[in-house]
Amino acid sequence: MAAIKFTTDNFDTEVLKSDKPVLVDMWATWCAPCRMQGPIVEELSDELKDVKVGKLDVDENPEIASRYNVMSIPTLLVIKNGQVTQQAVGVHTKEQIIDMINA
């Protein structure tokens, strides 16, 4: 299963009202570190069955990025029960991301 494309239109339903933890990769097409993080996020979307994994393009959805004070990308958010439980900026390994989700 590929990572879900989160947008302003589906963010509340797919992320905030999710009954599972959600990993959100905030990224942009022009961002080289984001392109490094992307394949790791895609891999996790295939491997993690109890976590919803998706990507949000900050250029296409600036209001969501602004809502979470995202100033640098890539930014990873772990959202559980509608609340951010973990946030990290920069490229992270698969193990680091799994640790964030399980924290």
Side-chain angles (χ1 to χ4, degrees):
M1 182 175 130
I4 299 165
K5 181 178 180 180
F6 296 134
T7 65
T8 302
D9 292 337
N10 72 7
F11 194 83
D12 286 357
T13 304
E14 290 285 345
V15 178
L16 299 182
K17 295 179 181 172
S18 175
D19 56 352
K20 301 196 254 187
V22 184
L23 174 66
V24 181
D25 176 16
M26 301 235 178
W27 74 292
T29 55
W30 51 264
C31 167
C34 297
R35 290 194 304 271
M36 292 169 54
Q37 187 70 79
I40 297 168
V41 170
E42 288 291 340
E43 208 173 298
L44 287 169
S45 74
D46 290 334
E47 293 176 10
L48 300 176
K49 302 304 176 208
D50 55 342
V51 177
K52 192 180 284 190
V53 178
K55 300 166 71 69
L56 182 128
D57 186 320
V58 296
D59 288 339
E60 294 177 1
N61 305 278
E63 52 286 333
I64 301 293
S66 177
R67 183 190 305 177
Y68 291 96
N69 297 314
V70 173
M71 301 295 179
S72 300
I73 52 175
T75 291
L76 298 172
L77 302 177
V78 176
I79 298 178
K80 297 178 183 176
N81 300 315
Q83 301 295 316
V84 175
T85 60
Q86 296 288 318
Q87 183 168 345
V89 177
V91 178
H92 292 79
T93 65
K94 187 191 313 185
E95 293 75 21
Q96 288 171 319
I97 297 170
I98 290 170
D99 286 347
M100 283 176 55
I101 294 167
N102 292 329

Tab-separated table of all heavy atoms in Angstrom, residues 7-72:
chain	number	residue	atom	x	y	z
A	7	THR	N	-4.273	15.962	2.092
A	7	THR	CA	-4.530	17.304	1.566
A	7	THR	C	-5.357	18.072	2.588
A	7	THR	O	-5.844	17.498	3.568
A	7	THR	CB	-5.321	17.240	0.247
A	7	THR	OG1	-6.618	16.693	0.527
A	7	THR	CG2	-4.607	16.410	-0.806
A	8	THR	N	-5.553	19.341	2.321
A	8	THR	CA	-6.415	20.146	3.181
A	8	THR	C	-7.817	19.536	3.241
A	8	THR	O	-8.454	19.522	4.291
A	8	THR	CB	-6.485	21.595	2.653
A	8	THR	OG1	-5.157	22.125	2.610
A	8	THR	CG2	-7.342	22.472	3.537
A	9	ASP	N	-8.282	19.008	2.116
A	9	ASP	CA	-9.636	18.462	2.041
A	9	ASP	C	-9.819	17.187	2.863
A	9	ASP	O	-10.895	16.958	3.410
A	9	ASP	CB	-10.030	18.173	0.587
A	9	ASP	CG	-10.190	19.449	-0.222
A	9	ASP	OD1	-10.439	20.512	0.376
A	9	ASP	OD2	-10.063	19.380	-1.459
A	10	ASN	N	-8.788	16.334	2.944
A	10	ASN	CA	-8.974	15.055	3.641
A	10	ASN	C	-8.237	14.966	4.976
A	10	ASN	O	-8.330	13.955	5.663
A	10	ASN	CB	-8.582	13.877	2.738
A	10	ASN	CG	-7.090	13.736	2.515
A	10	ASN	OD1	-6.261	14.421	3.112
A	10	ASN	ND2	-6.717	12.829	1.627
A	11	PHE	N	-7.511	16.002	5.376
A	11	PHE	CA	-6.647	15.929	6.558
A	11	PHE	C	-7.439	15.626	7.832
A	11	PHE	O	-7.070	14.739	8.605
A	11	PHE	CB	-5.845	17.220	6.727
A	11	PHE	CG	-4.714	17.092	7.708
A	11	PHE	CD1	-3.495	16.549	7.320
A	11	PHE	CD2	-4.853	17.491	9.024
A	11	PHE	CE1	-2.441	16.412	8.215
A	11	PHE	CE2	-3.810	17.363	9.924
A	11	PHE	CZ	-2.604	16.817	9.516
A	12	ASP	N	-8.522	16.339	8.063
A	12	ASP	CA	-9.290	16.123	9.297
A	12	ASP	C	-9.826	14.695	9.363
A	12	ASP	O	-9.726	14.038	10.390
A	12	ASP	CB	-10.427	17.133	9.409
A	12	ASP	CG	-9.934	18.526	9.777
A	12	ASP	OD1	-8.717	18.703	9.996
A	12	ASP	OD2	-10.766	19.443	9.848
A	13	THR	N	-10.376	14.219	8.259
A	13	THR	CA	-10.955	12.880	8.237
A	13	THR	C	-9.888	11.798	8.315
A	13	THR	O	-9.984	10.872	9.123
A	13	THR	CB	-11.776	12.675	6.943
A	13	THR	OG1	-12.762	13.703	6.879
A	13	THR	CG2	-12.442	11.325	6.915
A	14	GLU	N	-8.861	11.897	7.468
A	14	GLU	CA	-7.843	10.846	7.370
A	14	GLU	C	-6.870	10.848	8.545
A	14	GLU	O	-6.373	9.796	8.936
A	14	GLU	CB	-7.048	10.995	6.064
A	14	GLU	CG	-7.831	10.672	4.826
A	14	GLU	CD	-8.042	9.182	4.634
A	14	GLU	OE1	-7.358	8.367	5.290
A	14	GLU	OE2	-8.905	8.827	3.818
A	15	VAL	N	-6.581	12.032	9.091
A	15	VAL	CA	-5.544	12.137	10.124
A	15	VAL	C	-6.143	12.364	11.511
A	15	VAL	O	-5.960	11.547	12.412
A	15	VAL	CB	-4.536	13.257	9.779
A	15	VAL	CG1	-3.493	13.412	10.873
A	15	VAL	CG2	-3.871	12.980	8.434
A	16	LEU	N	-6.850	13.459	11.673
A	16	LEU	CA	-7.307	13.838	13.009
A	16	LEU	C	-8.380	12.905	13.557
A	16	LEU	O	-8.457	12.697	14.765
A	16	LEU	CB	-7.807	15.286	12.996
A	16	LEU	CG	-6.761	16.331	12.601
A	16	LEU	CD1	-7.351	17.730	12.675
A	16	LEU	CD2	-5.504	16.228	13.446
A	17	LYS	N	-9.201	12.323	12.686
A	17	LYS	CA	-10.266	11.427	13.148
A	17	LYS	C	-9.903	9.957	12.981
A	17	LYS	O	-10.748	9.088	13.163
A	17	LYS	CB	-11.558	11.744	12.396
A	17	LYS	CG	-12.088	13.125	12.719
A	17	LYS	CD	-13.345	13.446	11.964
A	17	LYS	CE	-13.806	14.858	12.313
A	17	LYS	NZ	-14.905	15.300	11.467
A	18	SER	N	-8.643	9.664	12.671
A	18	SER	CA	-8.210	8.288	12.469
A	18	SER	C	-8.245	7.511	13.784
A	18	SER	O	-7.882	8.039	14.835
A	18	SER	CB	-6.789	8.260	11.906
A	18	SER	OG	-6.320	6.932	11.809
A	19	ASP	N	-8.662	6.255	13.693
A	19	ASP	CA	-8.652	5.407	14.880
A	19	ASP	C	-7.298	4.725	15.074
A	19	ASP	O	-7.087	4.012	16.048
A	19	ASP	CB	-9.770	4.361	14.812
A	19	ASP	CG	-9.693	3.507	13.560
A	19	ASP	OD1	-8.880	3.801	12.667
A	19	ASP	OD2	-10.451	2.524	13.480
A	20	LYS	N	-6.375	4.956	14.144
A	20	LYS	CA	-5.009	4.422	14.237
A	20	LYS	C	-4.033	5.588	14.350
A	20	LYS	O	-4.344	6.697	13.920
A	20	LYS	CB	-4.641	3.640	12.976
A	20	LYS	CG	-5.506	2.478	12.659
A	20	LYS	CD	-4.799	1.601	11.636
A	20	LYS	CE	-5.392	1.714	10.275
A	20	LYS	NZ	-4.837	0.752	9.324
A	21	PRO	N	-2.834	5.350	14.866
A	21	PRO	CA	-1.799	6.383	14.821
A	21	PRO	C	-1.496	6.735	13.358
A	21	PRO	O	-1.611	5.877	12.480
A	21	PRO	CB	-0.583	5.719	15.473
A	21	PRO	CG	-1.131	4.583	16.260
A	21	PRO	CD	-2.375	4.138	15.537
A	22	VAL	N	-1.121	7.993	13.121
A	22	VAL	CA	-0.850	8.456	11.769
A	22	VAL	C	0.546	9.067	11.704
A	22	VAL	O	0.904	9.894	12.541
A	22	VAL	CB	-1.884	9.509	11.305
A	22	VAL	CG1	-1.652	9.905	9.856
A	22	VAL	CG2	-3.307	9.002	11.492
A	23	LEU	N	1.318	8.651	10.698
A	23	LEU	CA	2.608	9.273	10.400
A	23	LEU	C	2.397	10.194	9.217
A	23	LEU	O	1.948	9.750	8.151
A	23	LEU	CB	3.660	8.210	10.056
A	23	LEU	CG	5.013	8.758	9.590
A	23	LEU	CD1	5.725	9.502	10.722
A	23	LEU	CD2	5.890	7.637	9.047
A	24	VAL	N	2.689	11.484	9.403
A	24	VAL	CA	2.542	12.472	8.339
A	24	VAL	C	3.932	12.976	7.953
A	24	VAL	O	4.661	13.503	8.798
A	24	VAL	CB	1.666	13.667	8.791
A	24	VAL	CG1	1.513	14.673	7.649
A	24	VAL	CG2	0.314	13.193	9.290
A	25	ASP	N	4.275	12.802	6.686
A	25	ASP	CA	5.530	13.324	6.134
A	25	ASP	C	5.206	14.627	5.421
A	25	ASP	O	4.537	14.627	4.388
A	25	ASP	CB	6.119	12.294	5.164
A	25	ASP	CG	7.385	12.781	4.462
A	25	ASP	OD1	7.979	13.776	4.922
A	25	ASP	OD2	7.764	12.166	3.454
A	26	MET	N	5.635	15.746	6.010
A	26	MET	CA	5.447	17.053	5.378
A	26	MET	C	6.655	17.315	4.492
A	26	MET	O	7.785	17.316	4.975
A	26	MET	CB	5.299	18.127	6.443
A	26	MET	CG	4.154	17.898	7.385
A	26	MET	SD	3.104	19.319	7.413
A	26	MET	CE	1.830	18.778	8.540
A	27	TRP	N	6.387	17.537	3.201
A	27	TRP	CA	7.462	17.591	2.217
A	27	TRP	C	7.104	18.542	1.079
A	27	TRP	O	5.997	19.089	1.040
A	27	TRP	CB	7.729	16.192	1.671
A	27	TRP	CG	6.642	15.737	0.732
A	27	TRP	CD1	5.337	15.448	1.058
A	27	TRP	CD2	6.753	15.567	-0.665
A	27	TRP	NE1	4.645	15.088	-0.054
A	27	TRP	CE2	5.487	15.159	-1.140
A	27	TRP	CE3	7.798	15.703	-1.576
A	27	TRP	CZ2	5.238	14.909	-2.488
A	27	TRP	CZ3	7.544	15.440	-2.901
A	27	TRP	CH2	6.286	15.051	-3.350
A	28	ALA	N	8.046	18.711	0.134
A	28	ALA	CA	7.802	19.462	-1.102
A	28	ALA	C	8.647	18.843	-2.210
A	28	ALA	O	9.705	18.259	-1.938
A	28	ALA	CB	8.162	20.934	-0.923
A	29	THR	N	8.189	18.967	-3.432
A	29	THR	CA	8.862	18.327	-4.563
A	29	THR	C	10.280	18.861	-4.791
A	29	THR	O	11.148	18.125	-5.237
A	29	THR	CB	8.054	18.516	-5.861
A	29	THR	OG1	7.826	19.916	-6.059
A	29	THR	CG2	6.735	17.791	-5.786
A	30	TRP	N	10.534	20.118	-4.460
A	30	TRP	CA	11.840	20.742	-4.706
A	30	TRP	C	12.866	20.442	-3.614
A	30	TRP	O	14.041	20.788	-3.736
A	30	TRP	CB	11.678	22.260	-4.831
A	30	TRP	CG	10.910	22.857	-3.688
A	30	TRP	CD1	9.575	23.146	-3.667
A	30	TRP	CD2	11.405	23.207	-2.393
A	30	TRP	NE1	9.202	23.648	-2.429
A	30	TRP	CE2	10.314	23.696	-1.635
A	30	TRP	CE3	12.656	23.153	-1.791
A	30	TRP	CZ2	10.443	24.132	-0.319
A	30	TRP	CZ3	12.780	23.581	-0.476
A	30	TRP	CH2	11.687	24.068	0.239
A	31	CYS	N	12.456	19.786	-2.544
A	31	CYS	CA	13.296	19.585	-1.352
A	31	CYS	C	14.098	18.288	-1.475
A	31	CYS	O	13.533	17.198	-1.431
A	31	CYS	CB	12.375	19.563	-0.129
A	31	CYS	SG	13.127	18.968	1.385
A	32	ALA	N	15.420	18.406	-1.618
A	32	ALA	CA	16.283	17.225	-1.767
A	32	ALA	C	16.226	16.299	-0.548
A	32	ALA	O	16.080	15.087	-0.710
A	32	ALA	CB	17.721	17.642	-2.070
A	33	PRO	N	16.325	16.813	0.686
A	33	PRO	CA	16.201	15.907	1.833
A	33	PRO	C	14.838	15.199	1.869
A	33	PRO	O	14.751	14.045	2.292
A	33	PRO	CB	16.382	16.830	3.047
A	33	PRO	CG	17.176	17.981	2.532
A	33	PRO	CD	16.718	18.165	1.105
A	34	CYS	N	13.796	15.886	1.407
A	34	CYS	CA	12.465	15.258	1.360
A	34	CYS	C	12.467	14.062	0.408
A	34	CYS	O	11.829	13.042	0.681
A	34	CYS	CB	11.413	16.262	0.893
A	34	CYS	SG	11.197	17.682	1.989
A	35	ARG	N	13.181	14.199	-0.694
A	35	ARG	CA	13.256	13.096	-1.656
A	35	ARG	C	14.065	11.932	-1.086
A	35	ARG	O	13.861	10.784	-1.488
A	35	ARG	CB	13.831	13.591	-2.988
A	35	ARG	CG	12.851	14.505	-3.719
A	35	ARG	CD	13.223	14.729	-5.166
A	35	ARG	NE	14.554	15.260	-5.364
A	35	ARG	CZ	14.861	16.549	-5.394
A	35	ARG	NH1	13.924	17.463	-5.265
A	35	ARG	NH2	16.100	16.938	-5.600
A	36	MET	N	14.970	12.213	-0.151
A	36	MET	CA	15.697	11.141	0.537
A	36	MET	C	14.789	10.449	1.553
A	36	MET	O	14.844	9.234	1.712
A	36	MET	CB	16.928	11.714	1.250
A	36	MET	CG	18.000	12.225	0.314
A	36	MET	SD	19.289	13.180	1.158
A	36	MET	CE	19.824	12.072	2.424
A	37	GLN	N	13.945	11.226	2.230
A	37	GLN	CA	13.045	10.675	3.246
A	37	GLN	C	11.902	9.890	2.617
A	37	GLN	O	11.423	8.911	3.189
A	37	GLN	CB	12.473	11.817	4.099
A	37	GLN	CG	11.651	11.364	5.286
A	37	GLN	CD	12.499	10.733	6.365
A	37	GLN	OE1	13.136	11.421	7.136
A	37	GLN	NE2	12.530	9.424	6.403
A	38	GLY	N	11.464	10.303	1.445
A	38	GLY	CA	10.302	9.722	0.781
A	38	GLY	C	10.302	8.207	0.658
A	38	GLY	O	9.317	7.558	1.033
A	39	PRO	N	11.379	7.596	0.136
A	39	PRO	CA	11.376	6.137	0.002
A	39	PRO	C	11.256	5.400	1.338
A	39	PRO	O	10.647	4.328	1.404
A	39	PRO	CB	12.723	5.841	-0.663
A	39	PRO	CG	13.100	7.106	-1.352
A	39	PRO	CD	12.542	8.211	-0.497
A	40	ILE	N	11.788	5.976	2.398
A	40	ILE	CA	11.686	5.360	3.722
A	40	ILE	C	10.231	5.400	4.186
A	40	ILE	O	9.702	4.410	4.707
A	40	ILE	CB	12.620	6.068	4.731
A	40	ILE	CG1	14.080	5.898	4.296
A	40	ILE	CG2	12.395	5.542	6.149
A	40	ILE	CD1	15.063	6.777	5.036
A	41	VAL	N	9.563	6.524	3.961
A	41	VAL	CA	8.152	6.658	4.335
A	41	VAL	C	7.307	5.678	3.519
A	41	VAL	O	6.408	5.020	4.058
A	41	VAL	CB	7.684	8.121	4.150
A	41	VAL	CG1	6.177	8.239	4.306
A	41	VAL	CG2	8.399	9.030	5.143
A	42	GLU	N	7.595	5.560	2.227
A	42	GLU	CA	6.855	4.614	1.380
A	42	GLU	C	7.046	3.174	1.873
A	42	GLU	O	6.100	2.393	1.912
A	42	GLU	CB	7.302	4.726	-0.079
A	42	GLU	CG	6.850	5.991	-0.773
A	42	GLU	CD	5.350	6.071	-1.015
A	42	GLU	OE1	4.667	5.023	-1.012
A	42	GLU	OE2	4.858	7.191	-1.205
A	43	GLU	N	8.277	2.854	2.245
A	43	GLU	CA	8.572	1.514	2.770
A	43	GLU	C	7.755	1.241	4.035
A	43	GLU	O	7.178	0.164	4.194
A	43	GLU	CB	10.074	1.425	3.068
A	43	GLU	CG	10.659	0.052	2.970
A	43	GLU	CD	12.184	0.095	3.109
A	43	GLU	OE1	12.850	0.730	2.262
A	43	GLU	OE2	12.671	-0.496	4.076
A	44	LEU	N	7.703	2.228	4.926
A	44	LEU	CA	6.935	2.083	6.156
A	44	LEU	C	5.445	1.926	5.868
A	44	LEU	O	4.753	1.191	6.561
A	44	LEU	CB	7.182	3.274	7.080
A	44	LEU	CG	8.545	3.301	7.766
A	44	LEU	CD1	8.784	4.644	8.434
A	44	LEU	CD2	8.672	2.176	8.767
A	45	SER	N	4.969	2.600	4.823
A	45	SER	CA	3.540	2.485	4.495
A	45	SER	C	3.191	1.058	4.086
A	45	SER	O	2.066	0.603	4.297
A	45	SER	CB	3.150	3.476	3.398
A	45	SER	OG	3.631	3.070	2.140
A	46	ASP	N	4.157	0.343	3.515
A	46	ASP	CA	3.941	-1.051	3.142
A	46	ASP	C	4.068	-1.993	4.341
A	46	ASP	O	3.387	-3.011	4.405
A	46	ASP	CB	4.951	-1.484	2.070
A	46	ASP	CG	4.685	-0.819	0.730
A	46	ASP	OD1	3.526	-0.447	0.460
A	46	ASP	OD2	5.647	-0.673	-0.052
A	47	GLU	N	4.934	-1.643	5.281
A	47	GLU	CA	5.263	-2.545	6.383
A	47	GLU	C	4.366	-2.387	7.610
A	47	GLU	O	4.088	-3.369	8.292
A	47	GLU	CB	6.721	-2.333	6.808
A	47	GLU	CG	7.713	-2.761	5.754
A	47	GLU	CD	9.153	-2.453	6.138
A	47	GLU	OE1	9.408	-2.079	7.307
A	47	GLU	OE2	10.023	-2.577	5.263
A	48	LEU	N	3.941	-1.183	7.898
A	48	LEU	CA	3.189	-0.928	9.131
A	48	LEU	C	1.695	-1.061	8.868
A	48	LEU	O	1.093	-0.212	8.217
A	48	LEU	CB	3.510	0.471	9.671
A	48	LEU	CG	4.971	0.734	10.025
A	48	LEU	CD1	5.155	2.186	10.441
A	48	LEU	CD2	5.443	-0.201	11.123
A	49	LYS	N	1.106	-2.110	9.379
A	49	LYS	CA	-0.318	-2.364	9.140
A	49	LYS	C	-1.212	-1.648	10.156
A	49	LYS	O	-2.371	-1.397	9.885
A	49	LYS	CB	-0.607	-3.871	9.174
A	49	LYS	CG	0.208	-4.664	8.163
A	49	LYS	CD	0.005	-4.150	6.752
A	49	LYS	CE	0.899	-4.881	5.772
A	49	LYS	NZ	1.254	-4.099	4.617
A	50	ASP	N	-0.675	-1.339	11.341
A	50	ASP	CA	-1.476	-0.711	12.387
A	50	ASP	C	-1.260	0.797	12.475
A	50	ASP	O	-1.658	1.442	13.436
A	50	ASP	CB	-1.184	-1.374	13.738
A	50	ASP	CG	0.295	-1.351	14.082
A	50	ASP	OD1	1.125	-1.156	13.178
A	50	ASP	OD2	0.635	-1.531	15.269
A	51	VAL	N	-0.600	1.369	11.453
A	51	VAL	CA	-0.333	2.802	11.407
A	51	VAL	C	-0.712	3.314	10.021
A	51	VAL	O	-0.390	2.689	9.018
A	51	VAL	CB	1.165	3.104	11.673
A	51	VAL	CG1	1.466	4.588	11.560
A	51	VAL	CG2	1.585	2.574	13.042
A	52	LYS	N	-1.400	4.447	9.988
A	52	LYS	CA	-1.718	5.091	8.711
A	52	LYS	C	-0.521	5.969	8.342
A	52	LYS	O	-0.061	6.759	9.166
A	52	LYS	CB	-2.983	5.932	8.869
A	52	LYS	CG	-3.561	6.410	7.561
A	52	LYS	CD	-4.822	7.233	7.777
A	52	LYS	CE	-5.999	6.363	8.104
A	52	LYS	NZ	-7.272	7.143	8.073
A	53	VAL	N	-0.011	5.826	7.137
A	53	VAL	CA	1.180	6.558	6.707
A	53	VAL	C	0.835	7.384	5.471
A	53	VAL	O	0.252	6.868	4.516
A	53	VAL	CB	2.337	5.591	6.378
A	53	VAL	CG1	3.565	6.362	5.893
A	53	VAL	CG2	2.689	4.740	7.601
A	54	GLY	N	1.208	8.664	5.510
A	54	GLY	CA	0.915	9.511	4.363
A	54	GLY	C	1.844	10.694	4.257
A	54	GLY	O	2.640	10.969	5.149
A	55	LYS	N	1.696	11.390	3.124
A	55	LYS	CA	2.541	12.535	2.817
A	55	LYS	C	1.656	13.745	2.535
A	55	LYS	O	0.580	13.608	1.961
A	55	LYS	CB	3.391	12.230	1.588
A	55	LYS	CG	4.312	11.025	1.789
A	55	LYS	CD	4.887	10.516	0.485
A	55	LYS	CE	5.911	11.400	-0.145
A	55	LYS	NZ	7.180	11.499	0.546
A	56	LEU	N	2.129	14.915	2.951
A	56	LEU	CA	1.415	16.152	2.695
A	56	LEU	C	2.383	17.130	2.051
A	56	LEU	O	3.410	17.470	2.638
A	56	LEU	CB	0.860	16.731	3.997
A	56	LEU	CG	0.056	18.006	3.798
A	56	LEU	CD1	-1.305	17.888	4.457
A	56	LEU	CD2	0.781	19.213	4.334
A	57	ASP	N	2.081	17.559	0.835
A	57	ASP	CA	2.905	18.536	0.120
A	57	ASP	C	2.607	19.919	0.699
A	57	ASP	O	1.485	20.421	0.581
A	57	ASP	CB	2.578	18.486	-1.378
A	57	ASP	CG	3.498	19.362	-2.212
A	57	ASP	OD1	3.835	20.489	-1.769
A	57	ASP	OD2	3.864	18.936	-3.319
A	58	VAL	N	3.613	20.529	1.334
A	58	VAL	CA	3.402	21.806	2.027
A	58	VAL	C	3.143	22.947	1.049
A	58	VAL	O	2.506	23.937	1.418
A	58	VAL	CB	4.578	22.154	2.971
A	58	VAL	CG1	4.689	21.125	4.085
A	58	VAL	CG2	5.886	22.299	2.223
A	59	ASP	N	3.622	22.827	-0.196
A	59	ASP	CA	3.356	23.871	-1.184
A	59	ASP	C	1.902	23.844	-1.640
A	59	ASP	O	1.307	24.884	-1.905
A	59	ASP	CB	4.274	23.717	-2.402
A	59	ASP	CG	5.708	24.103	-2.092
A	59	ASP	OD1	5.933	24.847	-1.110
A	59	ASP	OD2	6.606	23.666	-2.829
A	60	GLU	N	1.324	22.651	-1.719
A	60	GLU	CA	-0.072	22.510	-2.143
A	60	GLU	C	-1.050	22.704	-0.993
A	60	GLU	O	-2.234	22.965	-1.220
A	60	GLU	CB	-0.292	21.124	-2.761
A	60	GLU	CG	0.447	20.904	-4.055
A	60	GLU	CD	0.275	19.493	-4.602
A	60	GLU	OE1	-0.451	18.676	-3.984
A	60	GLU	OE2	0.892	19.207	-5.638
A	61	ASN	N	-0.570	22.558	0.234
A	61	ASN	CA	-1.440	22.628	1.422
A	61	ASN	C	-0.814	23.491	2.519
A	61	ASN	O	-0.580	23.018	3.633
A	61	ASN	CB	-1.698	21.211	1.949
A	61	ASN	CG	-2.262	20.303	0.887
A	61	ASN	OD1	-3.453	20.322	0.622
A	61	ASN	ND2	-1.407	19.512	0.257
A	62	PRO	N	-0.545	24.755	2.220
A	62	PRO	CA	0.182	25.597	3.191
A	62	PRO	C	-0.574	25.817	4.496
A	62	PRO	O	0.056	26.015	5.542
A	62	PRO	CB	0.390	26.920	2.439
A	62	PRO	CG	-0.670	26.936	1.389
A	62	PRO	CD	-0.893	25.502	1.008
A	63	GLU	N	-1.904	25.769	4.463
A	63	GLU	CA	-2.657	26.015	5.698
A	63	GLU	C	-2.440	24.915	6.729
A	63	GLU	O	-2.400	25.178	7.922
A	63	GLU	CB	-4.148	26.224	5.423
A	63	GLU	CG	-4.823	25.165	4.595
A	63	GLU	CD	-4.487	25.198	3.100
A	63	GLU	OE1	-4.146	26.238	2.527
A	63	GLU	OE2	-4.545	24.113	2.509
A	64	ILE	N	-2.260	23.678	6.273
A	64	ILE	CA	-1.992	22.584	7.217
A	64	ILE	C	-0.581	22.737	7.788
A	64	ILE	O	-0.364	22.589	8.988
A	64	ILE	CB	-2.150	21.203	6.548
A	64	ILE	CG1	-3.570	21.024	5.993
A	64	ILE	CG2	-1.790	20.080	7.520
A	64	ILE	CD1	-4.657	20.942	7.028
A	65	ALA	N	0.382	23.038	6.928
A	65	ALA	CA	1.755	23.260	7.395
A	65	ALA	C	1.791	24.391	8.412
A	65	ALA	O	2.455	24.295	9.451
A	65	ALA	CB	2.670	23.554	6.218
A	66	SER	N	1.054	25.444	8.149
A	66	SER	CA	0.999	26.583	9.062
A	66	SER	C	0.344	26.197	10.385
A	66	SER	O	0.801	26.609	11.458
A	66	SER	CB	0.228	27.725	8.402
A	66	SER	OG	0.111	28.801	9.274
A	67	ARG	N	-0.705	25.386	10.327
A	67	ARG	CA	-1.418	24.953	11.537
A	67	ARG	C	-0.475	24.246	12.508
A	67	ARG	O	-0.610	24.360	13.724
A	67	ARG	CB	-2.554	24.006	11.157
A	67	ARG	CG	-3.398	23.572	12.334
A	67	ARG	CD	-4.375	22.462	12.026
A	67	ARG	NE	-5.274	22.704	10.923
A	67	ARG	CZ	-6.155	21.802	10.481
A	67	ARG	NH1	-6.232	20.611	11.058
A	67	ARG	NH2	-6.941	22.075	9.472
A	68	TYR	N	0.514	23.520	11.957
A	68	TYR	CA	1.452	22.765	12.796
A	68	TYR	C	2.824	23.444	12.894
A	68	TYR	O	3.791	22.822	13.309
A	68	TYR	CB	1.564	21.328	12.278
A	68	TYR	CG	0.274	20.585	12.519
A	68	TYR	CD1	-0.691	20.485	11.527
A	68	TYR	CD2	-0.017	20.047	13.768
A	68	TYR	CE1	-1.902	19.847	11.762
A	68	TYR	CE2	-1.227	19.407	14.014
A	68	TYR	CZ	-2.155	19.319	13.010
A	68	TYR	OH	-3.360	18.699	13.251
A	69	ASN	N	2.878	24.714	12.525
A	69	ASN	CA	4.105	25.520	12.635
A	69	ASN	C	5.300	24.860	11.961
A	69	ASN	O	6.409	24.874	12.509
A	69	ASN	CB	4.422	25.820	14.102
A	69	ASN	CG	3.337	26.642	14.749
A	69	ASN	OD1	2.868	27.620	14.186
A	69	ASN	ND2	2.913	26.233	15.928
A	70	VAL	N	5.090	24.278	10.794
A	70	VAL	CA	6.172	23.639	10.063
A	70	VAL	C	6.971	24.721	9.344
A	70	VAL	O	6.466	25.388	8.446
A	70	VAL	CB	5.622	22.594	9.062
A	70	VAL	CG1	6.733	22.044	8.189
A	70	VAL	CG2	4.919	21.482	9.814
A	71	MET	N	8.219	24.887	9.778
A	71	MET	CA	9.092	25.910	9.214
A	71	MET	C	10.181	25.306	8.330
A	71	MET	O	10.750	25.991	7.500
A	71	MET	CB	9.750	26.722	10.335
A	71	MET	CG	8.781	27.417	11.234
A	71	MET	SD	7.880	28.666	10.311
A	71	MET	CE	6.797	29.297	11.550
A	72	SER	N	10.499	24.041	8.562
A	72	SER	CA	11.542	23.344	7.805
A	72	SER	C	10.989	21.992	7.381
A	72	SER	O	10.170	21.396	8.083
A	72	SER	CB	12.785	23.124	8.661
A	72	SER	OG	13.309	24.352	9.098
